[in-house]
Amino acid sequence: MKKKVLSMVLSMAMATAMLVGCGASSDNNETIKEEETAANAEGKVYKVGIVQYVDDASLNQIVANIESQLDLLAKENGCTFEYEDYYYNGNADSTTINQIVTELINDEVDVLVPIATPTAMICQAATEDNQIPVVFAAVSDPEAAGLVESNDAPGSNVTGTSDALNTEAVLDLMLEQNRDLDKVGLLYDKGQDSSAGPIKDAKKYLEAAGIEYVEKTGNTNDEVMLAADALVAEGVEAVFTPTDNTIMTAELGIYEKFIEAGIPHYCGADSFALNGAYLGYGVNYATLGKETANMVAEILVEGKDPATLPVKTLDNGTATVNTETAAALNLDYDKLRDMCDGLVEVQTAEEFD
């Protein structure tokens, strides 16, 4: 009888030890698995399909930094990221983007990297069955777009980086620059998902401040030019645009209209200021591009599951001022320095370095 009891006790102790061991080592096992995957990356070639929504300074900057960071990570890991033969620009045309994504899937790319919300949504739909990893860049509201279940736990094959805009911070800068504002123009493309939330927030902010606003929209360069003319005719004293790719594409064609009318243009990205707008505020797109590339490497080299990789939202806080435009508008932007984590000065150009 004693032998039987002793045998049972030993069996229970062993079982308990095994259960405790399994619970304690699950994280370690995952770490070991990722380390083994990274070690096996030596000499491997990964096909990276990059799909840019449209040609503009913001998105071009993201792509350039994704590519340069992938080159750096390739050297560090002894592998190759092939992207040159798998990069496409969709020219803001959904039919074209769908064709591009289909071709990339047929090319058996290892990951899709869509730049901007419309492109990310097309990639998501195209990978529901094949579950090719999708790492998006510059999606302002991934949850609202239905790309992820939540930013903290995507829960699918889709994750990436977000350029969510702090609209209130931009408008705070606008009011600090001119505390007597009576009328503000809102310039955006109704078809851009990235603009919907910020424009709603801007209206709420301006209504609370007792400031009149005028909305003008456009989804082509010609329509944006007409919208800018309409805002000038309406007598607005400042214009706000969120991280809107359509307006970004047209900025080089409208900034002089606003300067001639004495109207500062406040926007949701530094690249707007590079293309002539008075001030851009928000995400540093160079950093965003690098972080996107880092996530690609985490998935391909380290073997991480996109479903478990939280969306990375970069901190806002840097204002970029076009000094030429500021001088033309006779605006003193030094008063804004204390309201930002940083203030960068640029002059008008077509692209960032």
Side-chain angles (χ1 to χ4, degrees):
M1 183 67 177
K2 284 185 178 181
K3 288 183 179 180
K4 186 176 181 181
V5 171
L6 180 59
S7 176
M8 291 175 64
V9 170
L10 289 172
S11 296
M12 291 175 65
M14 290 176 65
T16 302
M18 288 176 66
L19 287 172
V20 172
C22 287
S25 65
S26 60
D27 290 341
N28 291 335
N29 288 340
E30 188 65 29
T31 301
I32 292 170
K33 179 183 175 183
E34 290 172 3
E35 289 175 350
E36 288 176 348
T37 305
N40 293 333
E42 183 74 31
K44 279 197 173 182
V45 177
Y46 301 103
K47 296 179 181 178
V48 180
I50 301 175
V51 189
Q52 183 172 338
Y53 176 64
V54 71
D55 181 27
D56 71 37
S58 297
L59 305 191
N60 293 345
Q61 186 185 18
I62 293 170
V63 171
N65 281 275
I66 288 174
E67 293 177 347
S68 63
Q69 184 69 2
L70 286 176
D71 290 342
L72 179 62
L73 293 169
K75 291 179 181 178
E76 292 178 358
N77 292 285
C79 62
T80 300
F81 294 107
E82 284 191 355
Y83 54 78
E84 290 183 356
D85 293 335
Y86 307 107
Y87 162 78
Y88 294 92
N89 188 325
N91 295 312
D93 184 272
S94 59
T95 301
T96 300
I97 295 169
N98 271 292
Q99 292 171 345
I100 289 169
V101 173
T102 299
E103 183 173 339
L104 289 171
I105 291 172
N106 290 337
D107 286 338
E108 298 182 345
V109 295
D110 296 295
V111 64
L112 287 167
V113 184
I115 318 296
T117 304
T119 318
M121 294 174 72
I122 290 173
C123 286
Q124 178 194 41
T127 59
E128 285 182 355
D129 295 330
N130 55 51
Q131 289 294 290
I132 294 172
V134 175
V135 181
F136 57 72
V139 172
S140 299
D141 195 340
E143 288 186 44
L147 291 168
V148 297
E149 292 179 11
S150 77
N151 287 344
D152 293 331
S156 68
N157 63 309
V158 182
T159 187
T161 58
S162 174
D163 59 348
L165 178 65
N166 185 341
T167 302
E168 183 175 334
V170 182
L171 297 179
D172 282 344
L173 293 172
M174 181 187 290
L175 287 186
E176 178 62 25
Q177 189 73 71
N178 182 0
R179 296 181 181 179
D180 297 321
L181 274 178
D182 292 318
K183 185 186 290 188
V184 170
L186 304 177
L187 178 62
Y188 64 102
D189 177 358
K190 289 188 292 186
Q192 291 282 314
D193 290 333
S194 60
S195 291
I199 289 297
K200 181 179 178 180
D201 293 340
K203 290 178 182 178
K204 183 178 179 180
Y205 179 106
L206 294 170
E207 287 168 0
I211 297 172
E212 181 184 353
Y213 60 81
V214 178
E215 291 180 77
K216 297 297 176 183
T217 65
N219 58 23
T220 66
N221 276 10
D222 288 342
E223 288 181 0
V224 173
M225 297 282 280
L226 292 173
D229 289 335
L231 288 174
V232 172
E234 290 270 4
V236 301
E237 299 159 289
V239 173
F240 167 70
T241 292
T243 49
D244 190 301
N245 291 304
T246 301
I247 309 304
M248 176 67 248
T249 304
E251 187 64 36
L252 282 168
I254 63 174
Y255 81 94
E256 291 179 329
K257 292 176 181 288
F258 290 143
I259 288 177
E260 290 172 6
I263 301 170
H265 192 189
Y266 295 80
C267 308
D270 52 4
S271 44
F272 281 90
L274 176 79
N275 280 182
Y278 168 56
L279 184 146
Y281 180 90
V283 167
N284 181 313
Y285 280 125
T287 303
L288 184 139
K290 291 174 183 176
E291 289 298 328
T292 305
N294 289 340
M295 295 184 78
V296 168
E298 285 183 84
I299 292 168
L300 298 183
V301 177
E302 299 177 26
K304 291 186 177 179
D305 185 352
T308 65
L309 279 181
V311 173
K312 290 185 180 179
T313 301
L314 276 66
D315 292 334
N316 290 316
T318 299
T320 302
V321 172
N322 186 307
T323 56
E324 294 173 326
T325 301
L329 294 171
N330 195 29
L331 293 176
D332 176 14
Y333 54 85
D334 278 337
K335 64 171 72 175
L336 308 180
R337 290 186 186 276
D338 292 340
M339 299 177 66
C340 312
D341 291 339
L343 193 149
V344 177
E345 298 174 330
V346 298
Q347 294 183 337
T348 306
E350 291 188 9
E351 297 289 344
F352 279 102
D353 294 330

